Amino acid sequence: MLPRIQQLFLLLLGVSGAICLENGLARTPPMGWMSWERFRCNTDCMAYPDECISDKLFREIADAMSSDGYADVGYEYLIIDDCWLAHNRDANGKLQPDASRFPNGMLDLSDYIHSKGLKFGLYEDYGNFTCAGYPGIIGHMEDDANTFASWGVDYVKLDGCYAHLHDMDIGYPAFGDYLNRTGRPMVYSCSWPVYQEFNGIKPDYEAIIKTCNLWRNYGDIQDSWNDVLSIIDYYASKQDEIIPHAGPGHWNDPDMLIIGNYGLSKDQSKAQMALWSVMASPLIMSNDLRSIGAEFKAILQNKKVIAVNQDPLGMQGRRVYQSDSVEVWTRPITPVQDGQYSYAVVVLNRRTDGTPYRFSQSLQKLGLTNPAGYAFEELFDGVTHGELLPSDNLDVRVNPSGVKMFRAELKAKAEDTNHRPLIFPVGY
Ligand SMILES: *[C@@H]1O[C@H](CO)[C@@H](O)[C@H](O)[C@H]1NC(C)=O
Ligand SMILES: *[C@@H]1O[C@H](CO)[C@@H](O)[C@H](O)[C@H]1NC(C)=O
């Protein structure tokens, strides 16, 4: 007899196995670091030697990831975004990095990243050019997939600038096929749906989940709280359409964590970490790990919050309550028993009226209906709130533009030995 959790996996595989990309990767949302949001396309190494897109930057980030505890809590992919390329392919048509900024070549950098116990991610673009104007992969897809494999790439982010929108339905799967044929497992991150969505084309998610491990649905994140709010509003407004596509091996991607940069307060940083975890989002930081403040590092390395993000069920959470600029988001997580889930619960206070807001609602109203109740623990302050029944109120104070995030672990009914089949909760 398999343990319960394995039975559940088999059930989920049975539901989704036939129609999704199954390259064995990204069974939980990928975690790592990516250069774009924080370092953009800074190529001026004379003026900005510590910030330009260069071999030196990525070696220093690799050092910080491995020595400052990030790798230990699960951040494993170091992903180089746009602007690593030379403006031209080499004489044989092969992609090559900018020679002055990457004097040792890509394989040497890849070896260094791997030597730190990390994995190596690299950006390209499906179209004629990358978004910053470097060579794209069209016309060279097979060669470029092989080049990536020969450099030890573990994760490919494929952007969609300078491409025809309808071609993407053929091009993204074709490149995925070439990646597969290299024989090297590479996580495949697609920007396919966001370009289509923003231009009035309805993305074919059935095709997308067959092709990609993760995909961008919405625009690039910028360094502000307003931008974080606009992203969560997009995911909430589309939740019925988007949530069913997420699961082990295939994830919606609301873009990078901007925690530790210029735009978010400490409370807002907790909010981004909490919401990204409840949304089963990839946790890809973009920040300067060489100089990040200790309070932001602690938020990024909060193991209990990360455990929610990495929950093995891989179910994406949703907004279940909204009133007075206060929202509640919930995500079903393990342990599961007798058709009842445990939950992560985030109370988000969007208000800015200066003082912590008192929120009080019954669990029932938030969709938590396990008759035997739940043990509640707040995951940032470690405070346990005891055991609550569905009729009890969750009664908390939440800072302005901040969150409380709970793990609500279901309590087993004492002598219930019935093994009823798993029932998906309403709305999931
Ligand atoms: C890419 O280049 C090809 C060949 O020049 C051209 O036919 C195609 O229209 C270009 N694509 C875009 C999106 O501009
Ligand atoms: C290629 O695709 C097959 C079939 O989906 C899969 O079993 C295999 O793991 C893939 N290989 C790589 C390297 O992605």
Side-chain angles (χ1 to χ4, degrees):
M1 186 86 195
L2 291 169
R4 184 162 291 262
I5 188 73
Q6 286 181 20
Q7 290 178 38
L8 185 65
F9 273 131
L10 290 180
L11 181 67
L12 291 174
L13 274 177
V15 171
S16 64
I19 54 160
C20 301
L21 172 64
E22 290 296 344
N23 57 2
L25 303 172
R27 305 310 298 174
T28 58
M31 295 177 64
W33 181 96
M34 184 153 67
S35 51
W36 185 256
E37 194 284 329
R38 179 62 181 79
F39 294 98
R40 299 279 155 154
C41 191
N42 185 339
T43 56
D44 189 348
C45 294
M46 294 295 277
Y48 309 106
D50 295 331
E51 293 171 55
C52 65
I53 299 303
S54 67
D55 183 272
K56 168 178 142 70
L57 173 66
F58 298 115
R59 283 177 203 250
E60 289 176 3
I61 295 292
D63 292 347
M65 284 175 78
S66 69
S67 62
D68 296 345
Y70 296 97
D72 291 340
V73 296
Y75 294 96
E76 66 176 337
Y77 292 98
L78 192 168
I79 306 155
I80 300 179
D81 208 283
D82 204 350
C83 303
W84 61 272
L85 283 155
H87 276 289
N88 295 300
R89 290 171 178 270
D90 75 9
N92 301 317
K94 198 175 156 184
L95 290 172
Q96 54 183 350
D98 179 273
S100 66
R101 291 181 286 117
F102 293 89
N104 308 309
M106 279 339 229
L107 183 57
D108 195 73
L109 177 56
S110 167
D111 286 346
Y112 186 79
I113 290 167
H114 288 138
S115 78
K116 295 284 165 178
L118 302 169
K119 293 186 169 140
F120 175 39
L122 201 51
Y123 167 104
E124 246 295 3
D125 188 288
Y126 167 59
N128 285 331
F129 303 99
T130 72
C131 294
Y134 296 88
I137 65 167
I138 267 190
H140 302 267
M141 289 204 284
E142 184 170 11
D143 284 349
D144 293 352
N146 289 332
T147 299
F148 276 30
S150 75
W151 287 342
V153 170
D154 304 298
Y155 179 119
V156 176
K157 173 181 175 181
L158 194 66
D159 211 338
C161 282
Y162 300 102
H164 294 297
L165 297 165
H166 286 287
D167 291 354
M168 292 182 178
D169 293 337
I170 296 165
Y172 273 94
F175 192 62
D177 228 38
Y178 287 124
L179 289 176
N180 181 282
R181 279 193 241 159
T182 67
R184 183 176 178 86
M186 291 183 252
V187 172
Y188 189 22
S189 163
C190 302
S191 302
W192 177 9
V194 60
Y195 282 90
Q196 295 190 331
E197 176 96 17
F198 272 52
N199 290 284
I201 299 170
K202 197 172 158 52
D204 178 357
Y205 277 107
E206 298 311 313
I208 290 164
I209 63 176
K210 271 187 219 161
T211 303
C212 312
N213 289 117
L214 63 156
W215 49 84
R216 290 281 307 285
N217 312 80
Y218 190 65
D220 284 1
I221 196 166
Q222 315 286 332
D223 196 356
S224 80
W225 176 237
N226 272 345
D227 212 61
V228 170
L229 289 178
S230 79
I231 290 171
I232 68 164
D233 282 340
Y234 175 85
Y235 282 83
S237 70
K238 296 271 182 177
Q239 58 188 6
D240 291 334
E241 180 191 342
I242 281 177
I243 286 174
H245 305 124
H250 40 100
W251 309 100
N252 293 298
D253 177 10
D255 212 8
M256 293 160 268
L257 295 171
I258 55 168
I259 295 163
N261 295 326
Y262 307 103
L264 299 188
S265 71
K266 190 175 162 188
D267 277 300
Q268 292 162 349
S269 298
K270 289 179 182 173
Q272 194 193 15
M273 192 73 187
L275 287 159
W276 261 235
S277 294
V278 159
M279 291 193 294
S281 307
L283 297 180
I284 310 286
M285 307 176 281
S286 190
N287 47 18
D288 193 341
L289 295 178
R290 300 165 300 184
S291 58
I292 191 168
E295 68 273 38
F296 298 109
K297 180 177 165 188
I299 292 167
L300 288 163
Q301 295 192 3
N302 184 314
K303 285 186 191 164
K304 290 180 175 175
V305 175
I306 290 171
V308 168
N309 176 269
Q310 298 284 301
D311 186 82
L313 295 180
M315 294 174 79
Q316 180 171 341
R318 61 170 54 231
R319 185 158 74 189
V320 295
Y321 173 94
Q322 207 180 3
S323 176
D324 263 355
S325 295
V326 173
E327 300 177 1
V328 179
W329 291 65
T330 63
R331 172 179 175 182
I333 55 174
T334 53
V336 180
Q337 200 174 28
D338 297 330
Q340 292 282 352
Y341 289 83
S342 302
Y343 284 89
V345 179
V346 171
V347 184
L348 166 67
N349 177 13
R350 301 170 70 136
R351 301 167 65 95
T352 52
D353 48 345
T355 199
Y357 180 86
R358 182 170 173 190
F359 169 86
S360 188
Q361 285 295 334
S362 74
L363 296 193
Q364 226 145 20
K365 205 158 175 189
L366 306 176
L368 274 65
T369 57
N370 180 41
Y374 306 83
F376 263 75
E377 182 188 9
E378 212 285 335
L379 302 184
F380 287 107
D381 59 25
V383 172
T384 54
H385 291 244
E387 292 173 14
L388 301 180
L389 294 170
S391 57
D392 290 334
N393 273 20
L394 177 62
D395 189 344
V396 288
R397 295 179 85 213
V398 190
N399 291 353
S401 66
V403 288
K404 293 278 186 190
M405 177 172 185
F406 300 91
R407 185 177 188 93
E409 197 153 314
L410 61 79
K411 302 294 295 176
K413 234 191 304 170
E415 18 58 282
D416 186 347
T417 50
N418 269 344
H419 288 198
R420 267 172 272 138
L422 182 67
I423 299 159
F424 282 74
V426 176
Y428 287 87

